[in-house]
Amino acid sequence: TVGLCENAVDAYVKAGDVKAAVDCCVLLNYWSLAVDLATQHNFQQIEGLLAKYASHLLEKDKKIEAVQLYRKANRHTEAAKLLSQIAQGIKGGVQKHPLRLKKLYLLSALEVESFKTKTLDMSALQGGTKGTMGTQATLTSLITQDQSVASDKALSSPWRGAEALHLYLLAQRQLSERQFDA
């Protein structure tokens, strides 16, 4: 826990013990490194471990920790869905916590944007710049992205909640400052 996870992982990988390297990452909460390492070495058990830990956090009602886990594991859509669920579940809603709601919707939208950027970057790496093949890979990536995002309202229009709350807060400010003509 003193920041030597990368060094430990390098040592385990050089020794040929990928499972110990992944276990080290999981124990030290370096989920993005664990997932990257697992995908590089075709280590399939990381997904189950990630899902089990996330469900454990959600059972204990530690939703913010689950969001952090999904972010560290580069699972942007799951993090965005959970952030929008947290925003929808806040007691008192817009009347009591408008700024908190705006921040949650903003974080959710940023996670969706991270997913889109990651998806497009992966298609650029796979397709390269080989003309028709690169264009086809980009189009396939965009179609896949639209299909994965279109199923959830929070993912299909992620900025809508943040924008609505921003306008609500501006209107409240103008009313409190008696700027009726603005």
Side-chain angles (χ1 to χ4, degrees), residues 27-171:
L27 288 174
L28 295 175
N29 207 17
Y30 280 77
W31 286 95
S32 59
L33 183 60
V35 171
D36 289 342
L37 194 62
T39 53
Q40 286 174 0
H41 296 282
N42 296 327
F43 191 73
Q44 300 298 324
Q45 293 140 343
I46 192 71
E47 294 297 324
L49 200 63
L50 180 68
K52 186 188 293 186
Y53 187 52
S55 65
H56 169 74
L57 288 172
L58 291 173
E59 285 174 6
K60 299 259 184 205
D61 202 31
K62 295 182 177 182
K63 293 180 181 177
I64 298 295
E65 287 85 357
V67 168
Q68 289 174 340
L69 172 70
Y70 283 137
R71 290 189 72 225
K72 287 181 181 178
N74 293 323
R75 301 292 188 259
H76 302 292
T77 54
E78 288 90 350
K81 287 178 188 177
L82 197 52
L83 281 166
S84 66
Q85 287 175 2
I86 292 169
Q88 292 170 358
I90 287 184
K91 291 181 172 57
V94 178
Q95 300 301 321
K96 288 191 176 184
H97 306 289
L99 191 58
R100 184 179 302 161
L101 282 171
K102 178 184 170 184
K103 289 177 183 179
L104 286 169
Y105 281 121
L106 182 69
L107 287 173
S108 176
L110 289 173
E111 286 299 317
V112 172
E113 292 299 318
S114 296
F115 168 72
K116 289 179 181 179
T117 303
K118 179 182 165 191
T119 305
L120 289 175
D121 287 346
M122 287 176 57
S123 71
L125 288 175
Q126 291 172 353
T129 58
K130 298 177 183 170
T132 307
M133 293 301 287
T135 305
Q136 184 178 6
T138 302
L139 286 174
T140 304
S141 171
L142 288 171
I143 290 171
T144 305
Q145 174 185 333
D146 283 345
Q147 288 173 347
S148 64
V149 168
S151 63
D152 193 353
K153 181 182 173 185
L155 298 179
S156 62
S157 57
W159 294 101
R160 184 167 288 169
E163 183 181 14
L165 285 161
H166 178 72
L167 293 174
Y168 174 78
L169 289 169
L170 284 177

